Coordinates of all heavy atoms in Angstrom, one line a residue:
Chain B
W13 N -116.8 44.3 3.6 CA -118.1 44.6 4.3 C -118.5 46.0 4.1 O -119.7 46.3 4.3 CB -117.9 44.3 5.8 CG -116.7 45.0 6.5 CD1 -115.5 44.5 6.7 CD2 -116.7 46.3 7.1 NE1 -114.7 45.4 7.3 CE2 -115.4 46.5 7.6 CE3 -117.7 47.3 7.2 CZ2 -115.0 47.7 8.2 CZ3 -117.3 48.5 7.9 CH2 -116.0 48.7 8.4
V14 N -117.7 46.9 3.7 CA -118.1 48.3 3.4 C -119.0 48.2 2.2 O -120.1 48.8 2.1 CB -116.9 49.2 3.1 CG1 -117.4 50.5 2.5 CG2 -116.1 49.4 4.4
W15 N -118.6 47.5 1.2 CA -119.4 47.3 -0.1 C -120.8 46.7 0.2 O -121.8 47.0 -0.3 CB -118.7 46.5 -1.1 CG -117.5 47.2 -1.6 CD1 -116.2 46.9 -1.4 CD2 -117.5 48.3 -2.5 NE1 -115.3 47.8 -2.0 CE2 -116.1 48.7 -2.8 CE3 -118.5 49.1 -3.2 CZ2 -115.7 49.7 -3.6 CZ3 -118.1 50.1 -4.0 CH2 -116.7 50.4 -4.2
L16 N -120.7 45.6 1.1 CA -121.9 44.8 1.3 C -122.9 45.4 2.3 O -124.1 45.3 2.1 CB -121.5 43.4 1.8 CG -120.9 42.5 0.8 CD1 -120.6 41.2 1.3 CD2 -121.7 42.4 -0.5
F17 N -122.4 46.1 3.3 CA -123.3 46.6 4.4 C -123.4 48.1 4.5 O -124.5 48.6 4.6 CB -122.9 46.0 5.7 CG -122.9 44.5 5.8 CD1 -121.8 43.8 5.9 CD2 -124.1 43.8 5.6 CE1 -121.8 42.4 5.9 CE2 -124.2 42.4 5.7 CZ -123.0 41.7 5.8
V18 N -122.2 48.7 4.4 CA -122.2 50.2 4.6 C -122.8 50.9 3.4 O -123.7 51.8 3.6 CB -120.8 50.7 4.9 CG1 -120.8 52.2 5.1 CG2 -120.2 50.0 6.1
L19 N -122.4 50.5 2.2 CA -122.9 51.2 1.0 C -124.4 51.1 0.9 O -125.1 52.1 0.7 CB -122.1 50.7 -0.2 CG -122.5 51.4 -1.5 CD1 -122.0 52.8 -1.5 CD2 -121.9 50.6 -2.7
P20 N -125.0 49.9 1.0 CA -126.4 49.8 0.9 C -127.2 50.6 1.9 O -128.2 51.2 1.7 CB -126.7 48.3 1.0 CG -125.5 47.6 0.7 CD -124.4 48.5 1.1
S21 N -126.6 50.6 3.2 CA -127.2 51.4 4.2 C -127.2 52.9 3.9 O -128.1 53.6 4.1 CB -126.5 51.2 5.6 OG -126.4 49.8 5.8
F22 N -126.0 53.3 3.3 CA -125.9 54.7 2.9 C -126.9 55.1 1.9 O -127.5 56.2 2.0 CB -124.4 54.9 2.4 CG -124.2 56.3 2.0 CD1 -124.1 57.3 2.9 CD2 -124.0 56.6 0.6 CE1 -123.8 58.6 2.5 CE2 -123.8 57.9 0.2 CZ -123.7 58.9 1.2
I23 N -127.1 54.2 0.9 CA -128.1 54.5 -0.1 C -129.5 54.6 0.6 O -130.3 55.5 0.2 CB -128.2 53.3 -1.2 CG1 -126.9 53.2 -1.9 CG2 -129.3 53.6 -2.2 CD1 -126.8 52.0 -2.9
G24 N -129.7 53.8 1.6 CA -131.0 53.9 2.3 C -131.1 55.3 3.0 O -132.2 55.8 2.9
V25 N -130.1 55.8 3.6 CA -130.1 57.1 4.2 C -130.5 58.2 3.1 O -131.3 59.0 3.4 CB -128.8 57.4 4.9 CG1 -128.8 58.9 5.4 CG2 -128.6 56.4 6.0
V26 N -129.8 58.0 2.0 CA -130.1 59.0 0.9 C -131.6 58.9 0.5 O -132.3 59.9 0.4 CB -129.2 58.7 -0.4 CG1 -129.7 59.5 -1.6 CG2 -127.8 58.9 0.0
C27 N -132.1 57.7 0.4 CA -133.5 57.5 0.1 C -134.4 58.2 1.1 O -135.4 58.8 0.8 CB -133.9 56.0 0.0 SG -133.3 55.2 -1.4
L28 N -134.0 58.0 2.4 CA -134.8 58.6 3.5 C -134.8 60.1 3.4 O -135.9 60.8 3.6 CB -134.2 58.2 4.8 CG -134.9 58.7 6.1 CD1 -136.3 58.2 6.2 CD2 -134.1 58.4 7.3
I29 N -133.7 60.7 3.1 CA -133.6 62.2 3.0 C -134.3 62.7 1.8 O -135.1 63.7 1.9 CB -132.1 62.6 3.1 CG1 -131.4 62.2 4.4 CG2 -132.0 64.1 2.8 CD1 -129.9 62.3 4.4
V30 N -134.0 62.2 0.7 CA -134.5 62.7 -0.6 C -136.0 62.4 -0.7 O -136.8 63.2 -1.1 CB -133.8 62.2 -1.8 CG1 -134.3 62.9 -3.1 CG2 -132.3 62.5 -1.6
G31 N -136.4 61.2 -0.3 CA -137.8 60.8 -0.2 C -138.5 60.7 -1.6 O -137.9 60.3 -2.5
P32 N -139.8 61.1 -1.6 CA -140.6 60.8 -2.8 C -140.0 61.4 -4.1 O -140.4 61.0 -5.2 CB -141.9 61.5 -2.5 CG -141.9 61.6 -1.0 CD -140.5 61.7 -0.6
R33 N -139.2 62.4 -4.0 CA -138.6 63.0 -5.2 C -137.9 62.0 -6.1 O -137.7 62.2 -7.3 CB -137.8 64.2 -4.9 CG -138.6 65.5 -4.7 CD -137.7 66.6 -4.2 NE -137.3 66.3 -2.8 CZ -136.3 66.8 -2.2 NH1 -135.5 67.7 -2.8 NH2 -136.0 66.5 -0.9
L34 N -137.4 60.9 -5.4 CA -136.6 59.9 -6.1 C -137.5 59.0 -7.0 O -137.0 58.3 -7.8 CB -135.8 59.1 -5.1 CG -134.4 59.6 -4.8 CD1 -133.8 58.6 -3.7 CD2 -133.5 59.6 -6.0
E35 N -138.8 59.0 -6.6 CA -139.6 57.9 -7.1 C -139.6 57.8 -8.7 O -139.5 56.7 -9.2 CB -141.1 58.1 -6.6 CG -141.9 56.8 -6.8 CD -143.3 57.0 -6.2 OE1 -143.4 57.7 -5.2 OE2 -144.2 56.3 -6.7
P36 N -139.8 59.0 -9.4 CA -139.8 58.9 -10.8 C -138.6 58.3 -11.4 O -138.6 57.6 -12.4 CB -139.9 60.3 -11.3 CG -140.2 61.2 -10.1 CD -140.0 60.4 -8.9
Y37 N -137.4 58.5 -10.8 CA -136.2 57.9 -11.3 C -136.0 56.5 -11.0 O -135.4 55.7 -11.8 CB -135.0 58.7 -10.7 CG -135.0 60.2 -10.9 CD1 -135.5 61.0 -9.9 CD2 -134.7 60.7 -12.1 CE1 -135.6 62.4 -10.1 CE2 -134.8 62.1 -12.3 CZ -135.2 62.9 -11.3 OH -135.3 64.2 -11.5
L38 N -136.6 56.0 -9.9 CA -136.4 54.6 -9.5 C -137.5 53.7 -10.1 O -137.3 52.5 -10.2 CB -136.5 54.5 -7.9 CG -135.3 55.0 -7.2 CD1 -135.5 55.0 -5.7 CD2 -134.0 54.2 -7.6
R39 N -138.6 54.3 -10.5 CA -139.7 53.5 -11.0 C -139.3 52.5 -12.1 O -139.7 51.3 -12.0 CB -140.9 54.3 -11.4 CG -142.2 53.6 -11.3 CD -143.4 54.5 -11.1 NE -143.7 54.8 -9.7 CZ -144.2 53.9 -8.9 NH1 -144.5 52.6 -9.3 NH2 -144.4 54.2 -7.6
P40 N -138.6 52.9 -13.1 CA -138.2 52.0 -14.2 C -137.4 50.8 -13.6 O -137.6 49.7 -14.0 CB -137.3 52.8 -15.1 CG -137.6 54.2 -14.8 CD -138.1 54.3 -13.4
L41 N -136.5 51.2 -12.6 CA -135.6 50.1 -12.0 C -136.5 49.1 -11.3 O -136.3 47.9 -11.4 CB -134.7 50.8 -11.1 CG -133.7 49.8 -10.4 CD1 -132.7 49.2 -11.4 CD2 -132.9 50.5 -9.3
W42 N -137.5 49.6 -10.6 CA -138.4 48.7 -9.8 C -139.2 47.8 -10.8 O -139.3 46.6 -10.5 CB -139.5 49.6 -9.0 CG -138.8 50.4 -7.9 CD1 -137.6 50.2 -7.4 CD2 -139.4 51.4 -7.2 NE1 -137.3 51.1 -6.4 CE2 -138.5 51.9 -6.2 CE3 -140.7 52.0 -7.2 CZ2 -138.7 52.9 -5.3 CZ3 -140.9 53.0 -6.3 CH2 -140.0 53.5 -5.4
R43 N -139.6 48.3 -11.9 CA -140.3 47.5 -12.9 C -139.4 46.3 -13.3 O -139.8 45.2 -13.4 CB -140.7 48.3 -14.1 CG -142.2 48.6 -14.0 CD -142.8 49.0 -15.4 NE -142.1 50.2 -15.9 CZ -142.5 51.4 -15.7 NH1 -143.5 51.7 -14.9 NH2 -141.8 52.4 -16.2
I44 N -138.1 46.6 -13.6 CA -137.2 45.6 -14.0 C -137.0 44.6 -12.9 O -137.1 43.4 -13.1 CB -135.8 46.2 -14.4 CG1 -136.0 47.1 -15.6 CG2 -134.8 45.1 -14.7 CD1 -134.7 47.9 -15.9
L45 N -136.8 45.1 -11.7 CA -136.6 44.2 -10.6 C -137.8 43.3 -10.3 O -137.6 42.1 -10.1 CB -136.2 45.0 -9.3 CG -134.8 45.5 -9.2 CD1 -134.6 46.4 -8.0 CD2 -133.8 44.3 -9.1
D46 N -139.0 43.8 -10.5 CA -140.2 43.0 -10.3 C -140.2 41.9 -11.3 O -140.6 40.8 -11.0 CB -141.5 43.9 -10.5 CG -141.7 44.7 -9.3 OD1 -141.2 44.4 -8.2 OD2 -142.5 45.7 -9.4
R47 N -139.7 42.2 -12.5 CA -139.7 41.2 -13.5 C -138.7 40.1 -13.2 O -138.9 38.9 -13.4 CB -139.4 41.8 -14.9 CG -140.3 41.2 -16.0 CD -140.3 42.1 -17.2 NE -141.1 43.3 -17.1 CZ -140.9 44.3 -17.9 NH1 -139.9 44.4 -18.8 NH2 -141.7 45.4 -17.8
V48 N -137.5 40.6 -12.6 CA -136.5 39.6 -12.2 C -137.0 38.6 -11.1 O -136.8 37.4 -11.2 CB -135.2 40.3 -11.7 CG1 -134.2 39.4 -11.0 CG2 -134.6 41.1 -12.8
Y49 N -137.7 39.2 -10.1 CA -138.3 38.3 -9.1 C -139.3 37.3 -9.7 O -139.3 36.1 -9.3 CB -138.9 39.1 -8.0 CG -138.1 40.2 -7.4 CD1 -138.6 41.4 -7.0 CD2 -136.7 40.1 -7.2 CE1 -137.9 42.4 -6.4 CE2 -135.9 41.1 -6.7 CZ -136.5 42.3 -6.3 OH -135.8 43.3 -5.8
A50 N -140.1 37.8 -10.6 CA -141.1 36.9 -11.2 C -140.4 35.8 -12.0 O -140.8 34.6 -11.9 CB -142.1 37.7 -12.0

Side-chain angles (χ1 to χ4, degrees):
Chain B
W13 56 266
V14 171
W15 293 106
L16 289 183
F17 300 112
V18 180
L19 182 68
S21 311
F22 180 71
I23 300 177
V25 174
V26 172
C27 288
L28 178 65
I29 295 168
V30 184
R33 273 170 292 160
L34 271 177
E35 197 176 332
Y37 305 100
L38 286 175
R39 204 154 272 289
L41 182 67
W42 292 347
R43 259 200 299 275
I44 296 171
L45 282 173
D46 283 339
R47 226 167 277 159
V48 171
Y49 307 143

